[in-house]
Amino acid sequence: MAYLAHRTAQALIVLAIAFTATFVLLQALPGDAILIKFESPELGLSPEQIADIRASYGADVPPLQQFLHTVAGFVQGDFGYSVQYGTPVHELIGSALPDTLALAGLGFVTAVLLAVALAFLSTLAPFGWLRQALRSLPGLLVSVPVFWLGIVLIQVFSFQLRLVPVIGADPVQALILPVLTLAIPISAPLAQILARSIDEVQLAPFVAVVRAKGAGPARVLWRDVARNALLPAVTIAGVLVGELIGGAVVTETVFGRAGIGRLTEQAVANQDVPVLQAIVILAALVFVVVNLAVDLVYPVLDPRLKRKAVAA
Amino acid sequence: MNALLELEHLDIAYRTPAGVRRVVHDVSFAVQPGEVVALVGESGSGKTTTSSAVLGLLPSGGRIESGAVRLSGIDLAGWNDRRLESVRGARIGYIPQDPVSSLNPVRPIGAQLADVFRIHRRGDRRAVRGRVLELLERVGLDDPALRAKQYPHELSGGMRQRVLIANAIALGPELVIADEPTSALDVTVQRRILDLIDELRREHGTAVLLVTHDLAVAAERAERVVVMQHGRIVEQGTTEAVLDAPAEEYTRRLLADAPGLAEHEFRHPRPPLYLRDADVAAAENPFALVASGLTKTYGLGRGREPFRAVDDVSFRVLRGTTHAIVGESGSGKTTTARIVSRFVAPDAGSVEVGGSEVTSLTGAAKREFRRRVQLVYQNPFASLDPRQTVAEIVAEPLRNFGVGDRRSRAAAAARLIDRVALPAHLATHRPAELSGGQRQRVAIARALALEPELVVLDEAVSALDVTVQARILELLEQLQGALGLSYLFISHDLAVVQRISHSVSVMRHGRIVESGPTEQVFRAPQHEYTRELLAAVPRRPAPTREVFA
Amino acid sequence: MSADIRTGLLLAWLVVAIVIAWAIVPWLFTGQDPISGVPAEKLQGPSLAHLFGTDAIGRDLFTRVVHGAVHSLSGAFVAVTVGLVAGTLLGVLAGSLGGVVDAAIMRLVDVLLAIPGLLLALSIIILLGFGTVNAAIAVGVGSIAAFARVSRSEVVRVRQSDYVEAAFGSGARLHSVLARHVLPNSLTAVVGLAALQFGTAILAISTLGFLGYGAPPPMPEWGLLIAEGRNYVATSWWLTVLPGLVVVVVVLSANRISQSLGRSR
């Protein structure tokens, strides 16, 4: 219980610092985005009108007050208004979220399946050269730029093989290539860590004992190695969630899909600070929550930590 | 003669990127049904490789190049893994060295024991469960139903080794290979585990191939001994023949160096010091170290009993002598050493070095104190900076205290290196290029650099092979004689303590149970625990007794 | 097998050497102009005259890739320097001082870790504006956390070693223990990480270039090259595939070198 409270407090502190930092860096420091947008002569707005607009964005009060106002808003799920569109940020995010969730969720599941398959095949595959090839694959895949992978996939599957239509694809077809684009680069480091920890566990003395009982390689791998080897991979799965969000930005841009990634890209292009800040904070929240969950689940997977977690 | 296991001209090599390295040459010996054969050797002798080859479990890259491994006349050497799997566990059992890492940490004990029945398809689920509980009871675990559900980390080292023994004998194999089955265990636990293996062996008529570095264990337990060195068999024969009349020089050296087997005189403090040294005589205080009432408690977190690691410990070290603190793991001996060398602050009690109180020293005074007391660590692989050369390591204490200039320090380092009998050319080498014994000599040279009054040796010879250990002990004795050093010698090994110390304190659960001159404590132990410890030390059975049947 | 490994490492160094040469003396590798093209030769496939083919306004793609090396490499260099200096400083301070300083620094690092790398980079770009250097700094800030974590854990590991205690035990003061034992033994891992981050930075910078936040056109930055080639995916594959392959090979080489540095510790 105390452990849970401690970890939760730590997570909240991280979020609070993240929020303050983004506020200071994005809202307080830079030139006034509203002025940049509305002062341009083409709009022909009078200084009074601009002042009114500033007031409507809450930009006319001292920074500390702005900060408290923004905090209060975030806690209630009100992220302010987009400078670009003038609509509430939570509406923009709300409408973009389902697409991105579908993409990211499928991407993550695919990445995990790919990684596990790669890691285990590279230990179990029948021929030495095949194992070697499977083993070096993740190293190659981490070196591939996500956006380029997307383009190459379109080139191969849509234009060369004509398996997935570019125009007029149904929603499921339209997801195939983006999900692969997102999943492949994320599966690579996961597969690397899994394969490495399988190797390490294979060398542990208890594996020799199991083999000395007469167990075959498949039984050793599934019964004894797999669970021990998965433990380190679980911890970095949390880190990969961050990669997933970054990957979504690129993937959505490459495939021209609507979603959080597109929203982010446009927010940066248009200096739309409130939108970007909301997205950054949400991403940090997701990251913190996922990692908290990993920390809490870990003792369940590893009986050695159970007592420690309860006692600490 | 129908041998159960017969190795014939066995050659084993490792294929590494650097080429083929042959590690076992032309090894031939046999194990008769029901017999205990000890395979004895120091590290790198090839004993473990040889025993792994019997099970076909050589590490990756290892291969039997030629020769035969016959089990009841059938050669297993050319068998693939699939065929060997039917032999492993069923006809040959295996007891590993380190009980801590030899059980799967994330599976309950019972499930792991059940594996061997499942793999060889012996019995249904319920029958297997019954057999598992029987086995756990048989190897001496209380409450088998509870133990079966527990995870390895919830059991002590000795209990885990019992589980592993149960695992090895589960299917009643004809042969059990025990690879250093007790070297990671305390001496009293070691005795009980070896007794258990004996008992089970007699019950089932199982033969045992006992792989060990400890000649005393071999002498006590085996009917025949095979001595290996550098991957070759040096000598083999009945235990009596090998021990009474060793034919080879290496065996003789091994026998002489094994602290539990060789006869050593007890050490006595030299004639009163004032006869030899006027300075020392002038000092009123004959003690290099006086520790009194030392106590150290560690908190284990909220809701748990604090752990009293050291509990009211007092002892004295006479100048120019060696005082040993002996105890099993968890006895508080290392914490005591660290309090004396001021790496741990005691909760209560005092330490006087050469008559002055040192526990309260801080800052510059504490740094100055480092000149007077030096610590030598157990693991010479961890206690030397891998990036420094030997000369730099040895000269560092001088540099810290600004003794002399660069040149005079280099000269001092060269003298120290010579003092610990290391060849001068090693001065420019780094620790990775040295052997374990050489590294420990470097650590001793570093400890001597500041000419301390007291050297604390924390298990300083425990990680070394017996022949290397014997040389380091000789060096320590010789330095003591030449420099008038006092030693506080921390060890778990009673045989070593008997050989090196003048006086001894026996610790258990943080307390000293018995203290006195070494001869008195070893010849006429007063405390029951001391007697138990002494009885547990493996020794050669007395000639009058019937050799272990 | 070992020969394979050694050849692989040698190849990796060769690739890096060639790319560095591209960045320093691009005119040794190609005589053509990276900025203005020959409209008559537009969209030609790879040939001897144009190794990587030509783009929509007839510029030689190979020339553009060669001239683009300087942007990617200097960007990655700036990024790694930012991360290495700031991250290692933070990590070493946290690891050697411990206590409150450690806790404060590590919370800060947690924050940097919690924000996905690309979002962090984008936030910094919005702050600093677009451009090659700003993109590089943004990527560098993103790697501070990794450097800080690795250097801190290495410092902590070395600090707990017997030889550091032995140094204190023979009278050494904190600063000389840090300088003599802790830093030399903990920075090897940081060097390995720097090589790894070099590859990662090339990827990240090309991603920012692709999104249009890095070097502005007509500069031949690699990410931007691929972005420009995108419109011709259906007809002119070489415009995207070949520059992308160059990126992959360079990153792969950097990772390979980092592995060898990590192993030699």
Side-chain angles (χ1 to χ4, degrees), chain B residues 290 315 338 449 464 511:
Chain B
V290 179
F315 59 91
R338 294 176 62 74
L464 306 173
R511 291 176 158 274

Side-chain angles (χ1 to χ4, degrees), chain B residues 349-400:
Chain B
S350 74
V351 175
E352 282 176 28
V353 174
S356 56
E357 218 289 318
V358 298
T359 40
S360 56
L361 298 179
T362 53
K366 179 170 153 189
R367 199 170 88 87
E368 202 51 39
F369 157 81
R370 303 288 183 203
R371 285 169 171 257
R372 302 168 58 197
V373 175
Q374 282 286 304
L375 178 65
V376 175
Y377 294 80
Q378 167 170 13
N379 183 352
F381 291 80
S383 65
L384 306 177
D385 187 338
R387 293 184 156 261
Q388 286 186 316
T389 64
V390 168
E392 280 168 351
I393 291 169
V394 172
E396 186 178 342
L398 301 173
R399 203 167 146 201
N400 290 334

Side-chain angles (χ1 to χ4, degrees), chain B residues 309-344:
Chain B
V310 175
D311 191 0
D312 193 20
V313 162
S314 307
F315 59 91
R316 296 183 298 190
V317 182
L318 207 57
R319 271 180 205 279
T321 71
T322 302
H323 181 80
I325 296 183
V326 68
E328 298 185 294
S329 50
S331 62
K333 56 188 193 302
T334 289
T335 307
T336 306
R338 294 176 62 74
I339 290 173
V340 168
S341 44
R342 293 291 281 112
F343 288 115
V344 169

Side-chain angles (χ1 to χ4, degrees), chain C residues 75-234:
Chain C
F77 183 76
V78 170
V80 171
T81 309
V82 168
L84 180 74
V85 171
T88 310
L89 196 67
L90 286 176
V92 169
L93 277 179
S96 38
L97 297 179
V100 187
V101 181
D102 185 19
I105 290 178
M106 288 329 281
R107 282 302 82 72
L108 193 72
V109 168
D110 281 348
V111 172
L112 286 174
L113 277 178
I115 302 173
L118 186 65
L119 289 188
L120 187 62
L122 291 180
S123 307
I124 289 162
I125 283 176
I126 231 181
L127 195 69
L128 301 177
F130 300 167
T132 321
V133 178
N134 291 347
I137 293 175
V139 170
V141 171
S143 67
I144 287 179
F147 279 105
R149 294 239 297 198
V150 167
S151 54
R152 175 182 178 275
S153 75
E154 282 295 296
V155 166
V156 168
R157 177 184 67 84
V158 176
R159 275 204 73 164
Q160 286 168 345
S161 67
D162 280 356
Y163 59 81
V164 163
E165 194 185 85
F168 282 118
S170 60
R173 294 190 173 90
L174 179 62
H175 59 85
S176 50
V177 171
L178 285 179
R180 213 178 284 157
H181 301 288
V182 177
L183 292 184
N185 281 296
S186 47
L187 292 186
T188 332
V190 177
V191 173
L193 180 66
L196 185 70
Q197 287 293 335
F198 193 78
T200 313
I202 290 178
L203 279 184
I205 286 169
S206 70
T207 301
L208 292 177
F210 173 81
L211 293 173
Y213 308 134
M219 278 199 196
E221 196 277 327
W222 289 346
L224 192 60
L225 281 184
I226 296 170
E228 287 168 353
R230 238 172 111 192
N231 301 328
Y232 307 92
V233 173

Side-chain angles (χ1 to χ4, degrees), chain B residues 415-422 441-442 444-445 448 475 479:
Chain B
R415 274 197 305 279
L416 285 161
I417 289 167
D418 183 54
R419 177 99 253 184
V420 295
L422 280 176
R441 283 172 194 267
V442 174
I444 291 170
L448 296 180
L475 172 71
L479 289 170

Side-chain angles (χ1 to χ4, degrees), chain B residues 9 13 350 399 443 449 492 519:
Chain B
H9 306 300
S350 74
R399 203 167 146 201
H492 71 283
E519 182 167 15

